């Protein structure tokens, strides 16, 4: 019963797994064309999903994806509601590719998820709007595609009242986390 899927960017590791789910929706949904699945992501998402449909869909099903799946392409920072949650998006950079970070707020707490991203000013806005941020940090130094420990530690020091959780970490990086002064545990 998945109703909403949020895609950070258009690398296949972020959305390729949707092919089976899309096929299920198109094969088993009736002809009433009610949207039961909403997929959010960066501009170009509909084209990418149609490509998946062409590659993996059942050949006997001649349904248009957009008649059954609502695709919401995001090309700017925005706020909208999804089932009692306020969702804020932040346009980030993944080596020249748009990465959309999402903050989900139920009025009591907010949790943010970035995809792969380098440091930009909008990363600070993302962290500022999240009580807890799951954020890319996969090397010691920031690169044009990924944030490194240098900027992660900077953000931890600047936003001491926030919890930042490093994701997309290599094993080698994790062994260096203490030396790099990355906070690895939180209470509460």
């Amino acid at each position: 019963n998945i109703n909403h899927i949020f895609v950070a960017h258009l690398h296949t590791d972020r959305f390729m797994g949707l092919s089976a789910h899309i096929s299920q929706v198109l094969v088993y949904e009736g002809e009433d064309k009610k949207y039961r699945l909403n997929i959010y992501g960066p501009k170009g998402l509909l084209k990418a999903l149609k490509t998946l449909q062409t590659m993996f869909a059942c050949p006997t099903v001649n349904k248009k994806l957009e008649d059954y799946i609502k695709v919401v392409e995001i090309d700017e920072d925005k706020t909208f509601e999804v089932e009692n949650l306020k969702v804020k998006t932040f346009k980030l950079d993944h080596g020249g590719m748009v990465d959309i970070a999402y903050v989900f707020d139920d009025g009591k707490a907010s949790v943010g998820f970035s995809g792969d991203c380098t440091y930009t000013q909008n990363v600070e806005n993302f962290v500022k709007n999240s009580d807890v941020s799951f954020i890319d940090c996969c090397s010691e130094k920031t690169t044009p595609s990924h944030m490194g420990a240098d900027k992660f530690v900077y953000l931890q020091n600047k936003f001491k009242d926030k919890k930042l959780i490093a994701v997309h970490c290599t094993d080698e990086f994790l062994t260096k986390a203490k030396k790099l002064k990355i906070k690895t545990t939180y209470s509460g």
Side-chain angles (χ1 to χ4, degrees):
N1 293 336
I2 296 171
N3 297 317
H4 303 279
I5 297 173
F6 299 85
V7 177
H9 61 268
L10 297 179
H11 280 161
T12 55
D13 65 329
R14 299 297 166 163
F15 73 93
M16 188 68 128
L18 292 176
S19 59
H21 197 65
I22 289 169
S23 293
Q24 292 294 311
V25 169
L26 295 177
V27 169
Y28 295 110
E29 290 301 326
E31 297 299 324
D32 61 357
K33 296 184 180 181
K34 283 186 179 173
Y35 293 130
R36 290 184 179 81
L37 177 62
N38 302 278
I39 304 178
Y40 307 82
K43 201 168 185 77
L45 179 63
L46 179 60
K47 181 179 178 185
L49 294 175
K50 284 182 174 185
T51 300
L52 279 182
Q53 179 188 9
T54 301
M55 292 170 58
F56 298 106
C58 177
T60 60
V61 175
N62 293 316
K63 295 178 180 175
K64 289 176 67 177
L65 180 138
E66 57 270 32
D67 287 340
Y68 295 87
I69 299 170
K70 183 177 181 184
V71 177
V72 179
E73 293 187 336
I74 299 165
D75 61 354
E76 62 188 0
D77 295 358
K78 63 192 311 179
T79 303
F80 54 94
E81 297 253 339
V82 173
E83 294 186 17
N84 301 323
L85 289 174
K86 182 169 73 171
V87 180
K88 282 182 133 176
T89 65
F90 297 85
K91 190 174 175 182
L92 304 180
D93 179 28
H94 178 40
M97 175 179 273
V98 171
D99 182 87
I100 303 295
Y102 300 92
V103 175
F104 303 93
D105 188 336
D106 69 356
K108 298 174 193 162
S110 58
V111 178
F113 299 90
S114 81
D116 303 340
C117 63
T118 191
Y119 175 81
T120 63
Q121 181 60 46
N122 225 17
V123 169
E124 289 196 25
N125 296 333
F126 163 71
V127 171
K128 194 183 319 180
N129 281 274
S130 310
D131 296 320
V132 178
S133 300
F134 291 84
I135 193 163
D136 182 32
C137 183
C138 65
S139 60
E140 287 189 56
K141 299 283 182 203
T142 297
T143 70
S145 296
H146 297 279
M147 194 161 57
D150 53 343
K151 291 297 184 180
F152 192 86
V153 170
Y154 163 77
L155 291 169
Q156 281 186 322
N157 290 331
K158 182 169 183 172
F159 299 101
K160 293 184 185 299
D161 62 327
K162 306 291 184 176
K163 295 180 181 179
L164 278 71
I165 312 294
V167 296
H168 200 239
C169 305
T170 62
D171 289 339
E172 177 186 356
F173 173 74
L174 290 173
T175 61
K176 296 177 181 179
K178 286 191 176 162
K179 181 184 105 182
L180 298 171
K181 298 181 183 160
I182 292 177
K183 186 174 181 178
T184 57
T185 59
Y186 293 94
S187 60

